[in-house]
Amino acid sequence: MAAVSACEARASRRSPFLDAPSAPDYFSSTDSGEGGLFAGVLLESYTGLAVAGIGVALFPVLKPHGMRLSAGYMTLRFAECAAIIAVGCYFLVSKNELTDYDLLVYVFSGAGGLVLSYLLLRSGLVARWLSVLGLLGYAVLLAGVASDLLGLVDINSGAGAAFYVPGGLFEAVLPLLLIFKGFHLIVPAPGTGDRDERPTPKVAPG
């Protein structure tokens, strides 16, 4: 589980093949351009599958603390994966760039992150401060996406990059805590997974 969570910090970031300053060259009709584009799309597809894999791996951990929210989180991860792969297919077929396509991906990433952080908060699987940091981080990310869409700021450059900071801290700290400490051992209240009521965390004996 710790290895899966370690992917979280990388899973929603764009491939350097498509983000490089010379990115337009990858959309040329030359062999080198097409080869670079194909390699970049492969990395994007790997990223998408990793995102979906995180949702699948965390589902059995989160399910006892809220069935519908856990299913919703996994669905958002699959949607994020589909968006990433769909954009890659568009690149390959059209050989055209798609401006700010990452904002669409960040919508799914931010929404999924909010659900995950809320589940972590209500379940007590991690420290409360970390869950709150996740809620703050993904809310700020979504605010950044909205600001970018409105033309108020570019979140990929300059001061706009500050919208990534709180969520980036969460994604950096969570894997480290899971590697060295793991999840808190919690016994959810009976029936919590079906009714999505707030559980009464109880530390398992031993």
Side-chain angles (χ1 to χ4, degrees), residues 16-51:
F17 280 90
L18 301 181
D19 280 347
S22 57
D25 294 337
Y26 292 115
F27 294 90
S28 69
S29 58
T30 64
D31 291 340
S32 60
E34 292 182 353
L37 176 61
F38 183 72
V41 170
L42 281 181
L43 290 177
E44 289 286 309
S45 299
Y46 163 79
T47 294
L49 293 175
V51 165

PDB file of all heavy atoms in Angstrom, residues 16-51:
ATOM      1  N   PRO A  16       7.195  14.876 -19.356  1.00  0.00           N
ATOM      2  CA  PRO A  16       8.136  15.883 -19.824  1.00  0.00           C
ATOM      3  C   PRO A  16       8.274  15.901 -21.334  1.00  0.00           C
ATOM      4  O   PRO A  16       8.668  16.889 -21.917  1.00  0.00           O
ATOM      5  CB  PRO A  16       9.453  15.469 -19.132  1.00  0.00           C
ATOM      6  CG  PRO A  16       9.273  14.038 -18.786  1.00  0.00           C
ATOM      7  CD  PRO A  16       7.810  13.876 -18.481  1.00  0.00           C
ATOM      8  N   PHE A  17       7.912  14.789 -21.986  1.00  0.00           N
ATOM      9  CA  PHE A  17       7.982  14.749 -23.441  1.00  0.00           C
ATOM     10  C   PHE A  17       6.999  15.748 -24.049  1.00  0.00           C
ATOM     11  O   PHE A  17       7.227  16.294 -25.110  1.00  0.00           O
ATOM     12  CB  PHE A  17       7.630  13.340 -23.960  1.00  0.00           C
ATOM     13  CG  PHE A  17       8.766  12.368 -23.855  1.00  0.00           C
ATOM     14  CD1 PHE A  17       8.933  11.596 -22.729  1.00  0.00           C
ATOM     15  CD2 PHE A  17       9.669  12.234 -24.884  1.00  0.00           C
ATOM     16  CE1 PHE A  17       9.969  10.698 -22.625  1.00  0.00           C
ATOM     17  CE2 PHE A  17      10.714  11.336 -24.799  1.00  0.00           C
ATOM     18  CZ  PHE A  17      10.865  10.565 -23.658  1.00  0.00           C
ATOM     19  N   LEU A  18       5.861  15.962 -23.358  1.00  0.00           N
ATOM     20  CA  LEU A  18       4.829  16.854 -23.896  1.00  0.00           C
ATOM     21  C   LEU A  18       4.887  18.237 -23.290  1.00  0.00           C
ATOM     22  O   LEU A  18       4.238  19.147 -23.766  1.00  0.00           O
ATOM     23  CB  LEU A  18       3.446  16.245 -23.654  1.00  0.00           C
ATOM     24  CG  LEU A  18       3.226  14.871 -24.291  1.00  0.00           C
ATOM     25  CD1 LEU A  18       1.805  14.398 -23.996  1.00  0.00           C
ATOM     26  CD2 LEU A  18       3.466  14.891 -25.786  1.00  0.00           C
ATOM     27  N   ASP A  19       5.657  18.397 -22.209  1.00  0.00           N
ATOM     28  CA  ASP A  19       5.731  19.683 -21.539  1.00  0.00           C
ATOM     29  C   ASP A  19       6.990  20.470 -21.861  1.00  0.00           C
ATOM     30  O   ASP A  19       7.133  21.601 -21.442  1.00  0.00           O
ATOM     31  CB  ASP A  19       5.710  19.478 -20.010  1.00  0.00           C
ATOM     32  CG  ASP A  19       4.291  19.247 -19.523  1.00  0.00           C
ATOM     33  OD1 ASP A  19       3.370  19.489 -20.313  1.00  0.00           O
ATOM     34  OD2 ASP A  19       4.129  18.826 -18.370  1.00  0.00           O
ATOM     35  N   ALA A  20       7.908  19.887 -22.585  1.00  0.00           N
ATOM     36  CA  ALA A  20       9.180  20.541 -22.851  1.00  0.00           C
ATOM     37  C   ALA A  20       8.963  21.803 -23.669  1.00  0.00           C
ATOM     38  O   ALA A  20       7.986  21.927 -24.419  1.00  0.00           O
ATOM     39  CB  ALA A  20      10.109  19.593 -23.620  1.00  0.00           C
ATOM     40  N   PRO A  21       9.879  22.790 -23.546  1.00  0.00           N
ATOM     41  CA  PRO A  21       9.725  24.025 -24.303  1.00  0.00           C
ATOM     42  C   PRO A  21       9.616  23.808 -25.800  1.00  0.00           C
ATOM     43  O   PRO A  21       9.020  24.599 -26.506  1.00  0.00           O
ATOM     44  CB  PRO A  21      10.992  24.816 -23.926  1.00  0.00           C
ATOM     45  CG  PRO A  21      11.381  24.288 -22.582  1.00  0.00           C
ATOM     46  CD  PRO A  21      11.018  22.833 -22.616  1.00  0.00           C
ATOM     47  N   SER A  22      10.231  22.716 -26.278  1.00  0.00           N
ATOM     48  CA  SER A  22      10.199  22.447 -27.711  1.00  0.00           C
ATOM     49  C   SER A  22       9.044  21.533 -28.086  1.00  0.00           C
ATOM     50  O   SER A  22       9.054  20.881 -29.108  1.00  0.00           O
ATOM     51  CB  SER A  22      11.516  21.794 -28.158  1.00  0.00           C
ATOM     52  OG  SER A  22      11.755  20.598 -27.426  1.00  0.00           O
ATOM     53  N   ALA A  23       8.008  21.461 -27.250  1.00  0.00           N
ATOM     54  CA  ALA A  23       6.896  20.546 -27.464  1.00  0.00           C
ATOM     55  C   ALA A  23       6.306  20.617 -28.868  1.00  0.00           C
ATOM     56  O   ALA A  23       5.955  19.590 -29.421  1.00  0.00           O
ATOM     57  CB  ALA A  23       5.808  20.776 -26.427  1.00  0.00           C
ATOM     58  N   PRO A  24       6.158  21.788 -29.491  1.00  0.00           N
ATOM     59  CA  PRO A  24       5.574  21.808 -30.832  1.00  0.00           C
ATOM     60  C   PRO A  24       6.308  20.928 -31.820  1.00  0.00           C
ATOM     61  O   PRO A  24       5.714  20.419 -32.751  1.00  0.00           O
ATOM     62  CB  PRO A  24       5.653  23.291 -31.222  1.00  0.00           C
ATOM     63  CG  PRO A  24       5.590  24.013 -29.912  1.00  0.00           C
ATOM     64  CD  PRO A  24       6.383  23.147 -28.972  1.00  0.00           C
ATOM     65  N   ASP A  25       7.627  20.714 -31.648  1.00  0.00           N
ATOM     66  CA  ASP A  25       8.385  19.860 -32.547  1.00  0.00           C
ATOM     67  C   ASP A  25       7.883  18.425 -32.514  1.00  0.00           C
ATOM     68  O   ASP A  25       8.015  17.686 -33.481  1.00  0.00           O
ATOM     69  CB  ASP A  25       9.873  19.887 -32.192  1.00  0.00           C
ATOM     70  CG  ASP A  25      10.489  21.247 -32.436  1.00  0.00           C
ATOM     71  OD1 ASP A  25       9.941  22.006 -33.245  1.00  0.00           O
ATOM     72  OD2 ASP A  25      11.510  21.533 -31.802  1.00  0.00           O
ATOM     73  N   TYR A  26       7.341  17.994 -31.376  1.00  0.00           N
ATOM     74  CA  TYR A  26       6.853  16.631 -31.265  1.00  0.00           C
ATOM     75  C   TYR A  26       5.589  16.417 -32.088  1.00  0.00           C
ATOM     76  O   TYR A  26       5.164  15.290 -32.298  1.00  0.00           O
ATOM     77  CB  TYR A  26       6.587  16.271 -29.790  1.00  0.00           C
ATOM     78  CG  TYR A  26       7.853  16.194 -28.973  1.00  0.00           C
ATOM     79  CD1 TYR A  26       8.093  17.081 -27.929  1.00  0.00           C
ATOM     80  CD2 TYR A  26       8.816  15.237 -29.262  1.00  0.00           C
ATOM     81  CE1 TYR A  26       9.258  17.015 -27.187  1.00  0.00           C
ATOM     82  CE2 TYR A  26       9.986  15.160 -28.525  1.00  0.00           C
ATOM     83  CZ  TYR A  26      10.203  16.052 -27.474  1.00  0.00           C
ATOM     84  OH  TYR A  26      11.358  15.984 -26.748  1.00  0.00           O
ATOM     85  N   PHE A  27       4.967  17.484 -32.549  1.00  0.00           N
ATOM     86  CA  PHE A  27       3.765  17.369 -33.351  1.00  0.00           C
ATOM     87  C   PHE A  27       4.074  17.536 -34.842  1.00  0.00           C
ATOM     88  O   PHE A  27       3.169  17.655 -35.652  1.00  0.00           O
ATOM     89  CB  PHE A  27       2.731  18.409 -32.905  1.00  0.00           C
ATOM     90  CG  PHE A  27       2.209  18.170 -31.528  1.00  0.00           C
ATOM     91  CD1 PHE A  27       2.838  18.745 -30.427  1.00  0.00           C
ATOM     92  CD2 PHE A  27       1.114  17.351 -31.318  1.00  0.00           C
ATOM     93  CE1 PHE A  27       2.362  18.519 -29.152  1.00  0.00           C
ATOM     94  CE2 PHE A  27       0.638  17.114 -30.044  1.00  0.00           C
ATOM     95  CZ  PHE A  27       1.267  17.695 -28.954  1.00  0.00           C
ATOM     96  N   SER A  28       5.351  17.533 -35.189  1.00  0.00           N
ATOM     97  CA  SER A  28       5.739  17.640 -36.585  1.00  0.00           C
ATOM     98  C   SER A  28       5.593  16.279 -37.254  1.00  0.00           C
ATOM     99  O   SER A  28       5.403  15.255 -36.607  1.00  0.00           O
ATOM    100  CB  SER A  28       7.184  18.128 -36.697  1.00  0.00           C
ATOM    101  OG  SER A  28       8.084  17.140 -36.231  1.00  0.00           O
ATOM    102  N   SER A  29       5.713  16.272 -38.560  1.00  0.00           N
ATOM    103  CA  SER A  29       5.547  15.031 -39.319  1.00  0.00           C
ATOM    104  C   SER A  29       6.851  14.268 -39.494  1.00  0.00           C
ATOM    105  O   SER A  29       6.880  13.241 -40.155  1.00  0.00           O
ATOM    106  CB  SER A  29       4.946  15.345 -40.700  1.00  0.00           C
ATOM    107  OG  SER A  29       5.796  16.257 -41.403  1.00  0.00           O
ATOM    108  N   THR A  30       7.944  14.753 -38.905  1.00  0.00           N
ATOM    109  CA  THR A  30       9.219  14.070 -39.009  1.00  0.00           C
ATOM    110  C   THR A  30       9.211  12.808 -38.171  1.00  0.00           C
ATOM    111  O   THR A  30       8.433  12.654 -37.231  1.00  0.00           O
ATOM    112  CB  THR A  30      10.354  14.985 -38.545  1.00  0.00           C
ATOM    113  OG1 THR A  30      10.175  15.274 -37.146  1.00  0.00           O
ATOM    114  CG2 THR A  30      10.356  16.283 -39.329  1.00  0.00           C
ATOM    115  N   ASP A  31      10.105  11.875 -38.513  1.00  0.00           N
ATOM    116  CA  ASP A  31      10.193  10.617 -37.770  1.00  0.00           C
ATOM    117  C   ASP A  31      10.542  10.862 -36.310  1.00  0.00           C
ATOM    118  O   ASP A  31       9.985  10.237 -35.412  1.00  0.00           O
ATOM    119  CB  ASP A  31      11.248   9.696 -38.407  1.00  0.00           C
ATOM    120  CG  ASP A  31      10.797   9.184 -39.765  1.00  0.00           C
ATOM    121  OD1 ASP A  31       9.576   9.218 -40.031  1.00  0.00           O
ATOM    122  OD2 ASP A  31      11.663   8.757 -40.556  1.00  0.00           O
ATOM    123  N   SER A  32      11.473  11.790 -36.070  1.00  0.00           N
ATOM    124  CA  SER A  32      11.874  12.078 -34.689  1.00  0.00           C
ATOM    125  C   SER A  32      10.731  12.706 -33.911  1.00  0.00           C
ATOM    126  O   SER A  32      10.525  12.425 -32.727  1.00  0.00           O
ATOM    127  CB  SER A  32      13.096  13.003 -34.666  1.00  0.00           C
ATOM    128  OG  SER A  32      12.806  14.229 -35.311  1.00  0.00           O
ATOM    129  N   GLY A  33       9.972  13.577 -34.604  1.00  0.00           N
ATOM    130  CA  GLY A  33       8.838  14.212 -33.939  1.00  0.00           C
ATOM    131  C   GLY A  33       7.772  13.204 -33.569  1.00  0.00           C
ATOM    132  O   GLY A  33       7.253  13.199 -32.449  1.00  0.00           O
ATOM    133  N   GLU A  34       7.427  12.311 -34.498  1.00  0.00           N
ATOM    134  CA  GLU A  34       6.408  11.308 -34.230  1.00  0.00           C
ATOM    135  C   GLU A  34       6.871  10.317 -33.165  1.00  0.00           C
ATOM    136  O   GLU A  34       6.074   9.876 -32.330  1.00  0.00           O
ATOM    137  CB  GLU A  34       6.057  10.571 -35.527  1.00  0.00           C
ATOM    138  CG  GLU A  34       5.337  11.453 -36.545  1.00  0.00           C
ATOM    139  CD  GLU A  34       4.965  10.691 -37.801  1.00  0.00           C
ATOM    140  OE1 GLU A  34       5.397   9.516 -37.924  1.00  0.00           O
ATOM    141  OE2 GLU A  34       4.249  11.252 -38.655  1.00  0.00           O
ATOM    142  N   GLY A  35       8.156   9.977 -33.188  1.00  0.00           N
ATOM    143  CA  GLY A  35       8.686   9.059 -32.183  1.00  0.00           C
ATOM    144  C   GLY A  35       8.631   9.654 -30.791  1.00  0.00           C
ATOM    145  O   GLY A  35       8.268   8.974 -29.825  1.00  0.00           O
ATOM    146  N   GLY A  36       8.980  10.937 -30.684  1.00  0.00           N
ATOM    147  CA  GLY A  36       8.925  11.608 -29.387  1.00  0.00           C
ATOM    148  C   GLY A  36       7.503  11.730 -28.882  1.00  0.00           C
ATOM    149  O   GLY A  36       7.236  11.553 -27.683  1.00  0.00           O
ATOM    150  N   LEU A  37       6.568  12.027 -29.781  1.00  0.00           N
ATOM    151  CA  LEU A  37       5.163  12.133 -29.396  1.00  0.00           C
ATOM    152  C   LEU A  37       4.635  10.792 -28.913  1.00  0.00           C
ATOM    153  O   LEU A  37       3.947  10.720 -27.886  1.00  0.00           O
ATOM    154  CB  LEU A  37       4.337  12.628 -30.586  1.00  0.00           C
ATOM    155  CG  LEU A  37       2.819  12.707 -30.368  1.00  0.00           C
ATOM    156  CD1 LEU A  37       2.489  13.671 -29.236  1.00  0.00           C
ATOM    157  CD2 LEU A  37       2.124  13.129 -31.656  1.00  0.00           C
ATOM    158  N   PHE A  38       4.967   9.726 -29.635  1.00  0.00           N
ATOM    159  CA  PHE A  38       4.493   8.397 -29.256  1.00  0.00           C
ATOM    160  C   PHE A  38       5.038   8.001 -27.882  1.00  0.00           C
ATOM    161  O   PHE A  38       4.319   7.443 -27.053  1.00  0.00           O
ATOM    162  CB  PHE A  38       4.917   7.372 -30.310  1.00  0.00           C
ATOM    163  CG  PHE A  38       4.422   5.984 -30.038  1.00  0.00           C
ATOM    164  CD1 PHE A  38       3.071   5.676 -30.196  1.00  0.00           C
ATOM    165  CD2 PHE A  38       5.289   4.983 -29.611  1.00  0.00           C
ATOM    166  CE1 PHE A  38       2.602   4.395 -29.932  1.00  0.00           C
ATOM    167  CE2 PHE A  38       4.821   3.710 -29.345  1.00  0.00           C
ATOM    168  CZ  PHE A  38       3.479   3.409 -29.510  1.00  0.00           C
ATOM    169  N   ALA A  39       6.328   8.301 -27.644  1.00  0.00           N
ATOM    170  CA  ALA A  39       6.928   7.992 -26.342  1.00  0.00           C
ATOM    171  C   ALA A  39       6.236   8.776 -25.229  1.00  0.00           C
ATOM    172  O   ALA A  39       5.972   8.246 -24.149  1.00  0.00           O
ATOM    173  CB  ALA A  39       8.427   8.307 -26.363  1.00  0.00           C
ATOM    174  N   GLY A  40       5.950  10.041 -25.505  1.00  0.00           N
ATOM    175  CA  GLY A  40       5.273  10.865 -24.511  1.00  0.00           C
ATOM    176  C   GLY A  40       3.883  10.343 -24.194  1.00  0.00           C
ATOM    177  O   GLY A  40       3.469  10.299 -23.035  1.00  0.00           O
ATOM    178  N   VAL A  41       3.152   9.908 -25.236  1.00  0.00           N
ATOM    179  CA  VAL A  41       1.807   9.381 -25.020  1.00  0.00           C
ATOM    180  C   VAL A  41       1.849   8.070 -24.244  1.00  0.00           C
ATOM    181  O   VAL A  41       0.986   7.793 -23.410  1.00  0.00           O
ATOM    182  CB  VAL A  41       1.078   9.202 -26.365  1.00  0.00           C
ATOM    183  CG1 VAL A  41      -0.226   8.434 -26.184  1.00  0.00           C
ATOM    184  CG2 VAL A  41       0.798  10.570 -26.987  1.00  0.00           C
ATOM    185  N   LEU A  42       2.870   7.252 -24.490  1.00  0.00           N
ATOM    186  CA  LEU A  42       3.020   6.014 -23.721  1.00  0.00           C
ATOM    187  C   LEU A  42       3.212   6.319 -22.241  1.00  0.00           C
ATOM    188  O   LEU A  42       2.633   5.645 -21.374  1.00  0.00           O
ATOM    189  CB  LEU A  42       4.206   5.204 -24.246  1.00  0.00           C
ATOM    190  CG  LEU A  42       3.983   4.383 -25.519  1.00  0.00           C
ATOM    191  CD1 LEU A  42       5.259   3.632 -25.890  1.00  0.00           C
ATOM    192  CD2 LEU A  42       2.822   3.388 -25.323  1.00  0.00           C
ATOM    193  N   LEU A  43       4.031   7.321 -21.945  1.00  0.00           N
ATOM    194  CA  LEU A  43       4.237   7.707 -20.550  1.00  0.00           C
ATOM    195  C   LEU A  43       2.951   8.262 -19.942  1.00  0.00           C
ATOM    196  O   LEU A  43       2.639   8.016 -18.769  1.00  0.00           O
ATOM    197  CB  LEU A  43       5.363   8.744 -20.448  1.00  0.00           C
ATOM    198  CG  LEU A  43       6.778   8.226 -20.738  1.00  0.00           C
ATOM    199  CD1 LEU A  43       7.780   9.368 -20.665  1.00  0.00           C
ATOM    200  CD2 LEU A  43       7.176   7.127 -19.762  1.00  0.00           C
ATOM    201  N   GLU A  44       2.199   9.019 -20.735  1.00  0.00           N
ATOM    202  CA  GLU A  44       0.919   9.526 -20.267  1.00  0.00           C
ATOM    203  C   GLU A  44      -0.036   8.372 -19.951  1.00  0.00           C
ATOM    204  O   GLU A  44      -0.759   8.398 -18.949  1.00  0.00           O
ATOM    205  CB  GLU A  44       0.297  10.430 -21.325  1.00  0.00           C
ATOM    206  CG  GLU A  44       0.993  11.764 -21.499  1.00  0.00           C
ATOM    207  CD  GLU A  44       0.706  12.720 -20.364  1.00  0.00           C
ATOM    208  OE1 GLU A  44      -0.472  12.922 -20.030  1.00  0.00           O
ATOM    209  OE2 GLU A  44       1.665  13.247 -19.801  1.00  0.00           O
ATOM    210  N   SER A  45      -0.038   7.361 -20.816  1.00  0.00           N
ATOM    211  CA  SER A  45      -0.915   6.211 -20.603  1.00  0.00           C
ATOM    212  C   SER A  45      -0.518   5.452 -19.342  1.00  0.00           C
ATOM    213  O   SER A  45      -1.379   5.000 -18.575  1.00  0.00           O
ATOM    214  CB  SER A  45      -0.865   5.279 -21.820  1.00  0.00           C
ATOM    215  OG  SER A  45      -1.307   5.949 -22.977  1.00  0.00           O
ATOM    216  N   TYR A  46       0.792   5.327 -19.121  1.00  0.00           N
ATOM    217  CA  TYR A  46       1.268   4.690 -17.890  1.00  0.00           C
ATOM    218  C   TYR A  46       0.793   5.483 -16.680  1.00  0.00           C
ATOM    219  O   TYR A  46       0.355   4.903 -15.674  1.00  0.00           O
ATOM    220  CB  TYR A  46       2.795   4.614 -17.906  1.00  0.00           C
ATOM    221  CG  TYR A  46       3.405   4.359 -16.549  1.00  0.00           C
ATOM    222  CD1 TYR A  46       3.416   3.083 -16.011  1.00  0.00           C
ATOM    223  CD2 TYR A  46       3.940   5.400 -15.799  1.00  0.00           C
ATOM    224  CE1 TYR A  46       3.959   2.843 -14.753  1.00  0.00           C
ATOM    225  CE2 TYR A  46       4.484   5.177 -14.541  1.00  0.00           C
ATOM    226  CZ  TYR A  46       4.489   3.891 -14.033  1.00  0.00           C
ATOM    227  OH  TYR A  46       5.009   3.668 -12.794  1.00  0.00           O
ATOM    228  N   THR A  47       0.860   6.801 -16.779  1.00  0.00           N
ATOM    229  CA  THR A  47       0.376   7.657 -15.694  1.00  0.00           C
ATOM    230  C   THR A  47      -1.104   7.413 -15.433  1.00  0.00           C
ATOM    231  O   THR A  47      -1.539   7.279 -14.284  1.00  0.00           O
ATOM    232  CB  THR A  47       0.604   9.138 -16.047  1.00  0.00           C
ATOM    233  OG1 THR A  47       1.992   9.408 -16.102  1.00  0.00           O
ATOM    234  CG2 THR A  47      -0.050  10.056 -15.023  1.00  0.00           C
ATOM    235  N   GLY A  48      -1.896   7.348 -16.505  1.00  0.00           N
ATOM    236  CA  GLY A  48      -3.327   7.114 -16.348  1.00  0.00           C
ATOM    237  C   GLY A  48      -3.621   5.782 -15.679  1.00  0.00           C
ATOM    238  O   GLY A  48      -4.479   5.695 -14.788  1.00  0.00           O
ATOM    239  N   LEU A  49      -2.910   4.735 -16.091  1.00  0.00           N
ATOM    240  CA  LEU A  49      -3.128   3.420 -15.489  1.00  0.00           C
ATOM    241  C   LEU A  49      -2.694   3.410 -14.023  1.00  0.00           C
ATOM    242  O   LEU A  49      -3.325   2.743 -13.185  1.00  0.00           O
ATOM    243  CB  LEU A  49      -2.355   2.359 -16.279  1.00  0.00           C
ATOM    244  CG  LEU A  49      -2.860   2.117 -17.714  1.00  0.00           C
ATOM    245  CD1 LEU A  49      -1.950   1.136 -18.433  1.00  0.00           C
ATOM    246  CD2 LEU A  49      -4.297   1.595 -17.695  1.00  0.00           C
ATOM    247  N   ALA A  50      -1.638   4.157 -13.697  1.00  0.00           N
ATOM    248  CA  ALA A  50      -1.201   4.256 -12.307  1.00  0.00           C
ATOM    249  C   ALA A  50      -2.265   4.946 -11.460  1.00  0.00           C
ATOM    250  O   ALA A  50      -2.532   4.553 -10.317  1.00  0.00           O
ATOM    251  CB  ALA A  50       0.126   5.018 -12.215  1.00  0.00           C
ATOM    252  N   VAL A  51      -2.888   5.978 -12.024  1.00  0.00           N
ATOM    253  CA  VAL A  51      -3.958   6.682 -11.324  1.00  0.00           C
ATOM    254  C   VAL A  51      -5.116   5.730 -11.025  1.00  0.00           C
ATOM    255  O   VAL A  51      -5.631   5.682  -9.899  1.00  0.00           O
ATOM    256  CB  VAL A  51      -4.450   7.879 -12.168  1.00  0.00           C
ATOM    257  CG1 VAL A  51      -5.771   8.402 -11.650  1.00  0.00           C
ATOM    258  CG2 VAL A  51      -3.413   8.989 -12.163  1.00  0.00           C
TER     259      VAL A  51
END
